[in-house]
């Protein structure tokens, strides 16, 4: 349980970006349909959350563009990311309670890391659009590592960047692959219900879920875990 964290261990908060800091998944869905729809792949919300959400573009390309070269897959999915960035520009709003939570973590001296499978351009655009880039000690990009989510490596790297202890830290995720990545790294993970429901998130390994960062139960757990 989160409440049982030991004292003296290095704490950290680790956040996914898309769908966790801001509810950007509807725009990703629209961008995927615009680019992959003409190639025979159309997604509704359910299929998006199961087959696209939280996965790195390399694995998406392997699955949905098997007849293309690696370079061509990258170009097609790069086009999707350009569409997404054009859709999201000026429309980035933080999830309720996010800014207050970041303020509390800063005041308590608890380092924060962003851990994402999104391309770096997307990650930087979203963090900049939210005005929170400087809050994070590191931005870990799954595609820049040997393995992205759901492998534990991205979250292991996030902990390494700040000297965090997995058991004393907390991760926030909205996708199955993200929850699986964080929990495989040994980090108690809270699911954020922007796309998936409580049962889906807990089924993937989350210790609990919250609608947003102003959820009273979430705040109580964080107060107990982080001792702030």
């Amino acid at each position: 349980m989160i409440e049982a964290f030991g004292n003296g261990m290095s704490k950290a908060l680790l956040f996914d970006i898309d769908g966790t800091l801001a509810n950007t998944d509807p725009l990703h869905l629209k961008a995927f349909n615009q680019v992959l729809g003409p190639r025979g792949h159309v997604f509704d919300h359910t299929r998006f959350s199961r087959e696209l959400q939280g996965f790195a573009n390399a694995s998406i390309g392997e699955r949905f563009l098997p007849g293309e070269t690696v370079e061509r897959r990258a170009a097609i999915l790069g086009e999707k990311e350009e569409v997404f960035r054009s859709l999201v520009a000026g429309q980035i709003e933080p999830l309720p309670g996010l800014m207050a939570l970041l303020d509390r973590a800063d005041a308590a001296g608890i380092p924060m890391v962003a851990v994402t499978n999104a391309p770096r351009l997307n990650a930087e655009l979203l963090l900049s659009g939210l005005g929170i880039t400087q809050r994070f000690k590191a931005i870990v990009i799954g595609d820049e590592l040997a393995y992205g989510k759901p492998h534990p490596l991205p979250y292991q790297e996030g902990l390494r960047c700040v000297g965090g202890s997995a058991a004393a830290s907390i991760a926030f995720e909205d996708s199955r692959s993200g929850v699986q990545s964080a929990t495989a790294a040994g980090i108690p993970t809270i699911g954020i219900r922007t796309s998936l429901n409580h049962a889906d998130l807990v089924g993937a390994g989350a210790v609990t879920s919250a609608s947003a960062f102003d959820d009273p139960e979430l705040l109580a757990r964080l107060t107990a875990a982080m001792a702030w």
Side-chain angles (χ1 to χ4, degrees):
M1 294 295 291
I2 292 178
E3 293 84 356
F5 289 169
N7 293 326
M9 301 168 73
S10 299
K11 301 171 183 175
L13 296 179
L14 302 97
F15 297 81
D16 174 53
I17 297 179
D18 280 296
T20 300
L21 300 179
N23 187 14
T24 51
D25 286 340
L27 299 180
H28 278 291
L29 172 59
K30 185 174 181 179
F32 272 119
N33 279 331
Q34 186 169 323
V35 174
L36 294 182
R39 294 175 169 87
H41 303 290
V42 178
F43 301 87
D44 58 13
H45 172 81
T46 300
R47 190 180 178 202
F48 168 83
S49 67
R50 186 176 62 245
E51 301 179 11
L52 297 175
Q53 184 195 27
F55 287 97
N57 278 347
S59 63
I60 292 172
E62 288 175 6
R63 179 169 185 179
F64 295 105
L65 301 167
E68 303 286 357
T69 65
V70 172
E71 293 78 12
R72 183 63 185 144
R73 290 175 195 164
I76 292 168
L77 290 168
E79 179 187 345
K80 174 263 165 183
E81 301 303 350
E82 289 179 5
V83 171
F84 168 76
R85 288 192 291 271
S86 69
L87 290 172
V88 81
Q91 296 191 42
I92 307 171
E93 295 290 338
L95 252 61
L98 174 65
M99 297 308 185
L101 172 58
L102 300 185
D103 286 343
R104 290 183 73 180
D106 276 339
I110 297 170
M112 294 175 283
V113 181
V115 182
T116 180
N117 267 352
R120 184 166 290 276
L121 275 177
N122 289 27
E124 291 177 347
L125 172 68
L126 289 170
L127 294 178
S128 174
L130 291 168
I132 59 176
T133 304
Q134 301 308 314
R135 302 276 198 155
F136 295 94
K137 301 297 185 187
I139 303 172
V140 178
I141 306 295
D143 273 351
E144 296 175 1
L145 302 173
Y147 303 99
K149 304 174 189 178
H151 194 279
L153 182 59
Y155 276 97
Q156 292 169 340
E157 177 66 11
L159 290 172
R160 187 195 66 78
C161 288
V162 294
S165 161
S169 299
I170 299 176
F172 301 92
E173 273 285 356
D174 71 306
S175 69
R176 293 181 183 87
S177 65
V179 170
Q180 291 163 357
S181 173
T183 56
I187 306 169
T189 304
I190 296 175
I192 301 297
R193 298 191 301 268
T194 48
S195 292
L196 301 178
N197 62 32
H198 177 80
D200 289 333
L201 291 162
V202 171
V207 294
T208 189
S209 74
S211 59
F213 295 102
D214 58 354
D215 184 297
E217 182 183 349
L218 166 63
L219 294 174
R221 284 177 175 268
L222 285 173
T223 297
M226 297 289 113
W228 57 28

